[in-house]
Amino acid sequence: MLQFSESEIQAIKERASVSMIETLKNNNDVVLNHDTLVPETGIATWNLYYFCPEHGVRLTWDRYKPKSHCCPVDGKEFTGEPYDGAWWRWLNGLNAKACYDLGLLWQLTGDNLYLEKVTGILLKYAKYYPDYEEHGGIPYNGPGKANAQTLCEANCHLDFARGYDFVKGQLSTEQQQYVEDRLLREGAEFLMKHRTAQLHNHEMKINATVGVIGLILDEQNYIDFALNTEYGIHYQLDHGCTNEGMWFEGSIHYHYYALQALLNFEKMACNTPYSVSSNTNFLKMLKFPLSLVLNNGEFPRLNDSIDGQQKLTHAHLFEFAQRQYPCELFARTLASIYQNISRDNIEALLYGVDELPTAKPLACHTVHAKEAGITLEFDAKNDNALLFKHAPYGGEHDHYDRLGIILTRQGKEILPDLGTTGYGAELHCSYYKNTATHNTLVVNQHNQSPINPQLNHYLQDEKATVIDAQVDWTQEEASVDSHTIVQWNSKSYQDVKYRRVLIWLDNLLVELHKVENPHQQQLDLTYHVRGAHKHPQQMVAVDNPLQGPLARMTQTRLSAQAQSHELIYKVEKQADYSQHIWSNQPCQILTGYAPDNPAISDLAYSLVQSTEPQFNAVVLHDLSDEQSVSIEYIEWEGDRLNCTFVKDGQEQTLNYDLASCAFDHP
């Protein structure tokens, strides 16, 4: 066995608790307590089709109902494709996972029931795998054999290989040859053939799986392919990270997904010449996103992140990391993970230190990551946080929301990033993955064409924090060394320039928006709030005038044209939250409701609308409980803004020169 030495597995057996063993058994109940079911043809499609198209939640998978699939929200039944094929993909995943988990159980208990189950699964897949037909059609992805995309193929083969490593010594020579030739080598060769020449988390997973198979089979060609070729592991690390350690795709979920693949390889390679720990970006990638934990204890759902993936639950990464590279940051990360759950888990058993050092859980703090294009400001006094996304274009998993913001008050996201749902669900492309469903500027209700923002100025002192960034669509579109599908509208954004300045004060966010709109397109400065509108009397009910993602908006109301507006929202378990809006020309506000994530409740949308060729706006977000802010006077001439407002009964002024980025708040 390659994964653990005899002495290591003996020590693991001695530490294993009854509850750990029961957890492994329970987690594999479907496979363990049923006849082994393996598809005889390549019938499986994509697990991300297995979502309710209305609510965007995963359907309930039932071992006894391969042709009936129910929504857990309302019990609605779905039949036929794409759900039937996704059911088989789920089964393939359970079978592959069981190879690893039950192989480990056999090592821990010596119970031949587990050995026989793993052996049966491996031999059945080895029987059918070479004859599975290639199939696919999943956006952005290469084909599969057992499944419909190369990534899923890699995920399953990783567990097949690690499970085989646990039981190999108990198989006959003929059985070993059968599994190695017809399953593991067939899988590795297929993955090598279909690895794409791109930077991507998929290619990290493919590389890691080929590398693991190479280590287990002692196949140098596979190891070299995984590590040292163009678009291999070292190439991905060297070219796919910022100097700060952020993965280029801009999604924290996919950042750690790429690392999960890498650590599956490193857990086997750490004591060999093939360890990747010497790559300088390896530890940077482990550490960087930990600095972005919000004051709700979760990661921001930037770009593609399905609901639930924002949770810090990564024991499978940080137990190993703390053992191999002990530091206070990893200790604090594990303290966060184990705040409300026991450490009695398999990752701690296999890879953790005997006793974790005493450490405080991670806490939100201010971070300005210029290359990653993320600035997180934390006001510890009031427990408020602001995240500003001025990140470069990230490719496939991007959400076209340059200069978007997230705002939390007292640990609650009131201006959230929604992330997304399963990619096979209608809501993914039609709603969540769009500029219009983010807190930023939208033109003609179309997606922003890819652009890399420019950071003009960052200032932090005892009075305020100022973050000034802009996007200029007169410049060439941004691109990445990664395959993409055009999901934007370049014509709508042609020649538009958008500048957003955030001024972070005590319990107050002041925003300056400057938009050059030479073709007088429809501008919608968009906010969505986890709350409910408290409408002023002058707003009237109207039919929803919007097309595109927000055509689904309900209860739409429209204000009169005016230079000044006040919007108030009722927020559950908090005081009201208000926005005070001023613009250089009269504008109107369109409000309504559209889905949150998951789509079982709604957000309150507000769109500040204008078609002016030069649109300037000031927005004050009052985060206090007293709602004591009001705008007294604004003068915006050319590049210079003078603003006077009253807060807590005191008159305050601020001045900002957009030409020189000079800020004054006496």
Side-chain angles (χ1 to χ4, degrees):
M1 178 172 54
L2 183 64
Q3 293 171 80
F4 303 103
S5 67
E6 287 294 330
S7 60
E8 286 174 332
I9 202 68
Q10 184 59 40
I12 290 169
K13 288 168 68 172
E14 292 171 359
R15 293 199 310 270
S17 66
V18 172
S19 64
M20 288 181 185
I21 291 172
E22 287 301 311
T23 297
L24 276 175
K25 290 167 60 178
N26 293 336
N27 288 347
N28 293 274
D29 174 75
V30 170
V31 175
L32 192 57
N33 295 314
H34 294 84
D35 293 339
T36 299
L37 178 61
V38 170
E40 297 181 12
T41 60
I43 194 173
T45 57
W46 197 23
N47 53 334
L48 291 179
Y49 284 141
Y50 214 66
F51 279 76
C52 172
E54 179 180 352
H55 300 104
V57 297
R58 195 179 297 275
L59 301 177
T60 301
W61 189 90
D62 190 326
R63 170 66 170 75
Y64 295 104
K65 296 180 178 179
K67 296 185 179 298
S68 175
H69 322 282
C70 292
C71 174
V73 176
D74 60 6
K76 182 177 179 179
E77 181 186 42
F78 297 90
T79 59
E81 295 296 346
Y83 309 107
D84 291 355
W87 185 96
W88 283 99
R89 169 61 186 95
W90 191 294
L91 180 70
N92 280 339
L94 291 177
N95 283 337
K97 177 179 178 292
C99 282
Y100 176 78
D101 286 357
L102 300 183
L104 174 60
L105 264 178
W106 179 77
Q107 287 285 344
L108 296 179
T109 67
D111 189 333
N112 283 335
L113 170 66
Y114 309 127
L115 173 64
E116 291 166 3
K117 180 62 74 169
V118 174
T119 302
I121 293 171
L122 290 171
L123 290 173
K124 277 200 171 184
Y125 275 100
K127 177 181 179 180
Y128 298 121
Y129 191 79
D131 297 322
Y132 286 157
E133 292 184 1
E134 291 185 15
H135 59 290
I138 308 302
Y140 299 102
N141 292 287
K145 279 169 65 75
N147 307 293
Q149 63 167 346
T150 316
L151 173 66
C152 291
E153 216 71 7
N155 282 325
C156 286
H157 273 84
L158 179 65
D159 282 336
F160 289 149
R162 295 190 302 163
Y164 174 72
D165 184 54
F166 280 136
V167 304
K168 175 181 177 180
Q170 302 302 306
L171 272 59
S172 68
T173 302
E174 292 77 12
Q175 288 175 322
Q176 291 179 24
Q177 197 72 40
Y178 193 74
V179 172
E180 290 181 8
D181 288 349
R182 295 180 61 85
L183 182 59
L184 301 186
R185 290 185 188 277
E186 282 274 346
E189 295 290 340
F190 179 83
L191 294 174
M192 292 166 68
K193 177 183 176 182
H194 291 286
R195 188 187 71 184
T196 305
Q198 65 170 345
L199 298 173
H200 206 282
N201 69 83
H202 289 191
E203 316 321 316
M204 287 286 270
K205 177 71 77 169
I206 292 165
N207 287 324
T209 300
V210 172
V212 165
I213 294 173
L215 290 171
I216 290 171
L217 301 185
D218 193 22
E219 181 62 67
Q220 189 66 43
N221 179 48
Y222 295 170
I223 298 170
D224 287 341
F225 177 89
L227 286 178
N228 301 318
T229 54
E230 189 176 25
Y231 298 104
I233 286 174
H234 283 294
Y235 187 95
Q236 297 281 336
L237 283 171
D238 292 342
H239 295 85
C241 287
T242 69
N243 285 330
E244 299 135 340
M246 184 66 186
W247 184 244
F248 80 98
E249 292 181 272
S251 159
I252 293 173
H253 165 65
Y254 281 110
H255 180 110
Y256 279 133
Y257 190 74
L259 268 173
Q260 173 188 325
L262 185 54
L263 261 69
N264 281 325
F265 176 82
E266 185 64 16
K267 286 171 182 177
M268 285 194 174
C270 59
N271 296 318
T272 76
Y274 308 114
S275 170
V276 297
S277 61
S278 61
N279 191 299
T280 56
N281 282 334
F282 177 66
L283 278 176
K284 287 182 182 179
M285 277 191 72
L286 273 166
K287 292 178 178 180
F288 177 73
L290 299 172
S291 65
L292 302 181
V293 171
L294 299 174
N295 54 332
N296 59 6
E298 299 178 350
F299 292 118
R301 286 194 279 190
L302 300 170
N303 292 340
D304 279 351
S305 178
I306 295 173
D307 183 46
Q309 293 173 341
Q310 74 276 18
K311 305 289 185 183
L312 178 55
T313 58
H314 301 66
H316 60 293
L317 302 181
F318 293 106
E319 285 285 1
F320 178 79
Q322 176 62 13
R323 187 191 77 181
Q324 295 295 112
Y325 326 104
C327 65
E328 182 183 2
L329 180 59
F330 294 156
R332 294 189 68 185
T333 302
L334 289 168
S336 295
I337 292 171
Y338 295 128
Q339 283 184 98
N340 301 308
I341 61 172
S342 167
R343 194 180 173 227
D344 192 28
N345 65 65
I346 299 303
E347 292 297 326
L349 170 67
L350 298 181
Y351 301 108
V353 297
D354 289 340
E355 186 174 345
L356 292 175
T358 301
K360 294 181 179 179
L362 295 172
C364 186
H365 62 278
T366 293
V367 175
H368 177 56
K370 184 176 180 180
E371 285 194 35
I374 299 172
T375 300
L376 172 61
E377 296 295 325
F378 180 53
D379 172 9
K381 172 186 170 185
N382 299 297
D383 193 20
N384 299 328
L386 163 70
L387 188 145
F388 189 24
K389 178 184 174 182
H390 45 96
Y393 174 58
E396 171 192 354
H397 291 295
D398 205 292
H399 275 200
Y400 318 110
D401 60 329
R402 303 281 85 70
L403 306 192
I405 65 170
I406 298 172
L407 190 60
T408 75
R409 182 174 72 168
Q410 298 166 21
K412 179 184 178 70
E413 278 186 297
I414 54 173
L415 289 176
D417 191 314
L418 301 180
T420 191
T421 185
Y423 303 156
E426 185 269 338
L427 284 165
H428 169 59
C429 280
S430 71
Y431 182 69
Y432 293 117
K433 195 180 175 70
N434 291 276
T435 306
T437 52
H438 292 78
N439 299 302
T440 189
L441 177 73
V442 189
V443 180
N444 294 336
Q445 285 297 298
H446 289 142
N447 286 342
Q448 296 175 356
S449 53
I451 197 76
N452 291 337
Q454 174 185 332
L455 181 68
N456 297 317
H457 184 58
Y458 177 74
L459 166 73
Q460 186 183 49
D461 61 23
E462 68 280 358
K463 292 182 179 179
T465 296
V466 179
I467 320 159
D468 180 340
Q470 68 183 41
V471 284
D472 181 355
W473 280 283
T474 67
Q475 303 297 313
E476 185 178 351
E477 286 186 358
S479 62
V480 292
D481 186 12
S482 191
H483 294 181
T484 57
I485 297 174
V486 174
Q487 297 175 312
W488 54 84
N489 187 298
S490 300
K491 185 176 180 180
S492 286
Y493 289 84
Q494 183 179 349
D495 299 325
V496 172
K497 296 180 181 179
Y498 174 40
R499 188 165 178 180
R500 190 172 198 171
V501 182
L502 306 182
I503 303 172
W504 186 239
L505 302 166
D506 180 38
N507 258 335
L508 181 67
L509 171 64
V510 181
E511 293 190 275
L512 317 181
H513 300 270
K514 181 179 180 180
V515 187
E516 295 181 27
N517 182 27
H519 307 301
Q520 294 190 263
Q521 310 280 24
Q522 176 63 55
L523 305 177
D524 293 315
L525 179 59
T526 303
Y527 298 98
H528 57 220
V529 177
R530 282 214 169 100
H533 293 290
K534 298 181 73 172
H535 286 290
Q537 298 258 322
Q538 61 266 33
M539 294 196 82
V540 297
V542 295
D543 292 335
N544 184 355
L546 301 178
Q547 301 295 316
L550 293 184
R552 68 186 72 228
M553 200 159 68
T554 61
Q555 301 179 54
T556 45
R557 300 173 71 92
L558 189 65
S559 75
Q561 293 275 351
Q563 274 191 272
S564 181
H565 300 268
E566 181 182 18
L567 299 174
I568 303 174
Y569 306 86
K570 183 178 180 180
V571 178
E572 185 177 3
K573 297 181 180 179
Q574 288 194 358
D576 290 347
Y577 154 66
S578 62
Q579 299 167 332
H580 303 263
I581 301 164
W582 172 93
S583 57
N584 62 326
Q585 298 290 336
C587 67
Q588 62 186 13
I589 310 290
L590 178 70
T591 67
Y593 293 91
D596 199 338
N597 189 10
I600 56 177
S601 60
D602 285 342
L603 297 155
Y605 274 81
S606 297
L607 282 64
V608 184
Q609 299 190 307
S610 175
T611 57
E612 292 294 326
Q614 180 68 55
F615 178 62
N616 297 346
V618 178
V619 181
L620 273 63
H621 302 261
D622 187 352
L623 302 176
S624 70
D625 288 340
E626 292 78 17
Q627 296 298 287
S628 58
V629 171
S630 62
I631 296 175
E632 291 296 298
Y633 171 77
I634 289 179
E635 181 184 41
W636 191 327
E637 292 291 338
D639 286 323
R640 186 162 184 83
L641 170 83
N642 301 307
C643 176
T644 301
F645 59 91
V646 173
K647 182 177 182 295
D648 300 328
Q650 301 292 317
E651 188 173 273
Q652 300 186 38
T653 62
L654 62 82
N655 306 304
Y656 194 74
D657 190 323
L658 282 84
S660 64
C661 298
F663 171 71
D664 184 34
H665 180 49

